[in-house]
Amino acid sequence: MSPRVVFPNKILPYLLVAPQLAITLIFFYWPASQALRQSMLREDPFGLSSKFVWFANFKKVLSDPNYLNSIQVTAVFSIATAAVAMGTALLLAVMAEKVIRGRGVYRTLMIWPYAVAPAIAGMLWLFLFNPSIGSLAYGLRWLGINWDPLLDGEQAMALVVAAASWKQISYNFLFFVAGLQAIPKTLIEAAAIDGAKPTKRFWTIVFPLLAPTTFFLLVVNTVYAFFDTFGIIHAVTGGGPGKATETLVYKVYNDGFVNLILGDSAAQSVILMVIVIALTAIQFRYVEKKVHYG
Amino acid sequence: MIDNSPIRTFIAHLVLVLGILIVAFPIYYTFVASTHSLQTILRPPLPLLPGDRFVENYSEALFGGVGRIGGVSVATLLFNTTVVALGIAIGKIIISLLSAYAIVFFRFPLRMTFFWLIFITLMLPVEVRILPTYKVMVDFGLIDTYAGLIVPLIASATATLLFRQFFLTIPGELVEAARVDGAGPWRFFWDILLPLSRTNIAALFVILFIYGWTQYLWPLLVTNRNDMNTIVIALRKMISFADADTEWHLVMVTSMLAIVPPILVVVLMQRWFVRGLVDTEK
């Protein structure tokens, strides 16, 4: 690309970036550096004294059974949410490709949950499945299931996974539809002429060609399950019962704000930072590839 | 289209209708619950059709004030949330437009450093710097203020990247022509760049408005007073886990009022919404 035509101005550009820079420095970089520093300090809850302990906080956090439990909970929660949300959305997107009449209506109805806050999604599902007043919980008990997500950890997990993936279906649906539309129809027609049945065509042609979209959505859904679902956990289960739904982000919040264990919370923040950096790096590497290979 | 037998099309429609039922049912049922009395809600199963308490429930919640959140009315909460969502969306768009403009149309020392500084904030969500950011808020006296709810969230790597990408596609000849005609940087920004960016701004606005409206962790941290809560946080406070004294009919009304405005934005601005979604993720 030729060198861009630009305005010759010495001070104006600095004034233009100043607001954004000021906010990032004050609210992003300064606190992040504090989190890094604090992760190596041990401090009493009143902030009266602190001492430098190198990686002792990390060692303590990583050997804490509660933390290991919360890693496991996060893994189960993320995998289940991504699988349910993406599986449902893919099925619906494939079906939406097949129909001609009513396609626009289906899409319009399908995007609603995107606009619902995760915490509210959680509360709606809690209302439906609340053991004492939930109508669907009533149905489950009528079927003979001993349903009480407020006491049973696995049922609580099922409830938050349902709420979290329900909210994410719209997003995945839109991207899968876009991905499906990008697949050349000629390929599918050629396979049909060769006698491949629809199921075979899906698994041997459509699904592999959809791989970039699927991978992209996998990363996005993981980020979503890690970070954006704090509201669901906080509003529906509060990490309980026991610690059955305490995800990493919920634990950072809980240890820092409720239990006031500052060093541990900061060390957990830093670990989360590493996870975000890794996920973002994967996402951008992938985007670059897509640009190169079309 | 190939071998589209009527049976296959029928099955497709059937699956889609089932999907819509799953997607829409929780929202529909919330609406149903919001039109029944508390007594009806407490005796499951709830009827599938709306009740006759629509006017009573909605006016009680909107103007009467809700006991569990200190008598604050839902109208106040809606006002707060609208201010926050609009503030975040508009604030993000303005400061991202300005910094992308500087980075693309000017040459100055530290240009790329600034660009990377903005870009890397993608990797620093609130969750990873939660306590120190809270401390900054306390030091600045921003707890329980609109500024505290809005300003820290308006830095935006995504929006800046998006505008930068778009500005890079604007031909240099356009800038040259403007300069020959005697337009300064402001004139160019106002009269040429902004009109060209209209669709991008609309698309981004939908996404950012939803982002602002659905915030949870941040308002939870920086508001203590009941009358400064956003509607989502207030809802959380209205539900008690023991659920003995939760006023479910008001909770359901509040849920509806929290859900409907962003859904309207998404459905009415659907074209821009889908565009914005695809753009911001690329």
Side-chain angles (χ1 to χ4, degrees):
Chain A
M1 197 165 61
S2 58
R4 283 201 66 84
V5 186
V6 293
F7 289 102
N9 211 313
K10 293 269 176 287
I11 304 161
L12 186 61
Y14 291 101
L15 293 178
L16 290 171
V17 287
Q20 174 112 307
L21 269 188
I23 292 170
T24 53
L25 291 179
I26 296 171
F27 297 108
F28 286 74
Y29 286 101
W30 167 252
S33 68
Q34 287 298 299
L36 277 174
R37 200 177 72 93
Q38 228 161 42
S39 69
M40 296 186 189
L41 290 180
R42 185 149 298 161
E43 205 167 337
D44 64 281
F46 306 102
L48 296 176
S49 65
S50 62
K51 71 173 195 263
F52 197 75
V53 293
W54 284 108
F55 295 104
N57 288 330
F58 290 94
K59 235 181 257 168
K60 189 171 153 227
V61 164
L62 287 174
S63 59
D64 177 3
N66 283 335
Y67 193 72
L68 298 178
N69 168 60
S70 124
I71 291 180
Q72 200 191 340
V73 167
T74 313
V76 171
F77 175 71
S78 311
I79 293 171
T81 304
V84 175
M86 288 172 65
T88 317
L90 179 59
L91 175 69
L92 293 173
V94 170
M95 293 303 154
E97 268 293 284
K98 284 201 178 133
V99 305
I100 298 160
R101 215 174 297 162
R103 203 186 265 192
V105 178
Y106 285 129
R107 190 177 82 169
T108 305
L109 289 171
M110 210 67 90
I111 59 179
W112 287 20
Y114 180 85
V116 178
I120 295 182
M123 286 182 252
L124 299 191
W125 282 77
L126 179 64
F127 174 69
L128 290 175
F129 285 101
N130 182 307
S132 59
I133 63 160
S135 297
L136 295 187
Y138 181 85
L140 285 178
R141 263 204 305 277
W142 186 78
L143 288 173
I145 299 167
N146 189 9
W147 174 259
D148 193 349
L150 301 181
L151 294 176
D152 184 316
E154 278 170 29
Q155 293 180 355
M157 177 61 96
L159 184 60
V160 286
V161 166
S165 27
W166 174 75
K167 195 202 132 41
Q168 197 64 1
I169 288 177
S170 337
Y171 184 95
N172 295 343
F173 175 79
L174 287 173
F175 274 86
F176 273 132
V177 167
L180 285 170
Q181 279 167 354
I183 295 175
K185 292 283 164 291
T186 44
L187 278 178
I188 298 167
E189 277 158 20
I193 291 169
D194 287 347
K197 291 270 169 292
T199 320
K200 176 144 189 172
R201 289 205 300 265
F202 177 77
W203 289 112
T204 54
I205 298 173
V206 177
F207 192 69
L209 283 175
L210 216 49
T213 311
T214 312
F215 181 70
F216 162 77
L217 285 176
L218 194 63
V219 178
V220 171
N221 280 274
T222 313
V223 174
Y224 164 79
F226 261 74
F227 295 98
D228 296 344
T229 52
F230 171 81
I232 298 183
I233 309 277
H234 187 255
V236 175
T237 64
K243 292 190 176 300
T245 54
E246 190 177 66
T247 57
L248 291 170
V249 170
Y250 187 81
K251 192 165 162 56
V252 172
Y253 166 82
N254 210 32
D255 284 359
F257 272 84
V258 184
N259 303 331
L260 294 174
I261 319 170
L262 304 185
D264 284 14
S265 175
Q268 292 179 34
S269 289
V270 174
I271 296 173
L272 276 179
M273 221 181 280
V274 174
I275 296 175
V276 187
I277 291 173
L279 286 172
T280 319
I282 295 175
Q283 191 172 341
F284 273 83
R285 266 192 73 88
Y286 152 75
V287 169
E288 223 162 87
K289 265 198 193 130
K290 197 163 73 171
V291 172
H292 284 304
Y293 304 115
Chain B
M1 277 296 183
I2 10 167
D3 60 22
N4 251 353
S5 60
I7 299 171
R8 285 190 172 277
T9 317
F10 175 73
I11 293 176
H13 278 288
L14 196 71
V15 173
L16 282 168
V17 169
L18 267 177
I20 301 278
L21 274 182
I22 295 175
V23 163
F25 185 72
I27 298 175
Y28 171 73
Y29 219 42
T30 306
F31 171 70
V32 170
S34 74
T35 59
H36 281 283
S37 68
L38 181 58
Q39 284 69 33
T40 318
I41 297 175
L42 290 179
R43 275 196 317 268
L46 189 69
L48 277 167
L49 290 174
D52 54 357
R53 308 258 313 169
F54 180 83
V55 179
E56 288 97 320
N57 285 354
Y58 279 75
S59 58
E60 185 185 350
L62 268 174
F63 309 110
V66 182
R68 282 191 65 93
I69 48 169
V72 174
S73 69
V74 179
T76 313
L77 300 172
L78 274 177
F79 176 76
N80 289 347
T81 317
T82 312
V83 169
V84 169
L86 285 178
I88 289 176
I90 295 170
K92 267 182 189 273
I93 288 173
I94 291 176
I95 70 167
S96 307
L97 267 173
L98 292 181
S99 34
Y101 180 48
I103 285 166
V104 174
F105 291 101
F106 295 87
R107 288 291 168 274
F108 52 101
L110 293 180
R111 190 174 68 99
M112 281 324 271
T113 318
F114 289 161
F115 175 70
W116 282 107
L117 276 178
I118 295 170
F119 179 76
I120 290 172
T121 56
L122 265 187
M123 303 183 185
L124 298 171
V126 189
E127 291 83 358
V128 310
R129 52 190 165 82
I130 177 166
L131 267 174
T133 318
Y134 182 74
K135 191 163 177 308
V136 171
M137 300 303 289
V138 176
D139 293 344
F140 277 105
L142 287 172
I143 303 295
D144 283 329
T145 61
Y146 288 121
L149 280 165
I150 296 169
V151 175
L153 294 183
I154 65 177
S156 179
T158 326
T160 311
L161 278 175
L162 184 71
F163 283 126
R164 173 180 172 267
Q165 217 71 349
F166 172 65
F167 289 168
L168 284 174
T169 64
I170 288 175
E173 286 81 1
L174 206 57
V175 188
E176 228 161 330
R179 281 183 56 189
V180 169
D181 286 348
W186 275 120
R187 190 68 194 271
F188 175 73
F189 182 73
W190 240 179
D191 287 348
I192 297 175
L193 213 50
L194 267 191
L196 284 176
S197 316
R198 262 203 318 245
T199 40
N200 280 299
I201 293 176
L204 208 53
F205 176 82
V206 183
I207 303 292
L208 295 177
F209 181 83
I210 305 295
Y211 167 87
W213 190 279
T214 57
Q215 280 300 307
Y216 190 83
L217 180 57
W218 190 248
L220 180 71
L221 294 181
V222 300
T223 57
N224 296 321
R225 272 174 29 209
N226 284 321
D227 60 338
M228 281 304 293
N229 279 329
T230 58
I231 196 163
V232 185
I233 301 299
L235 253 180
R236 164 67 183 78
K237 287 188 184 172
M238 286 162 71
I239 292 182
S240 132
F241 286 117
D243 62 53
D245 55 349
T246 304
E247 295 170 289
W248 281 104
H249 60 305
L250 296 183
V251 169
M252 291 296 121
V253 171
T254 316
S255 301
M256 277 321 284
L257 292 170
I259 291 173
V260 168
I263 286 189
L264 280 181
V265 170
V266 162
V267 170
L268 295 178
M269 296 179 76
Q270 197 178 139
R271 198 153 56 88
W272 292 284
F273 162 66
V274 176
R275 226 195 111 146
L277 207 59
V278 176
D279 282 351
T280 46
E281 291 300 347
K282 286 228 167 110

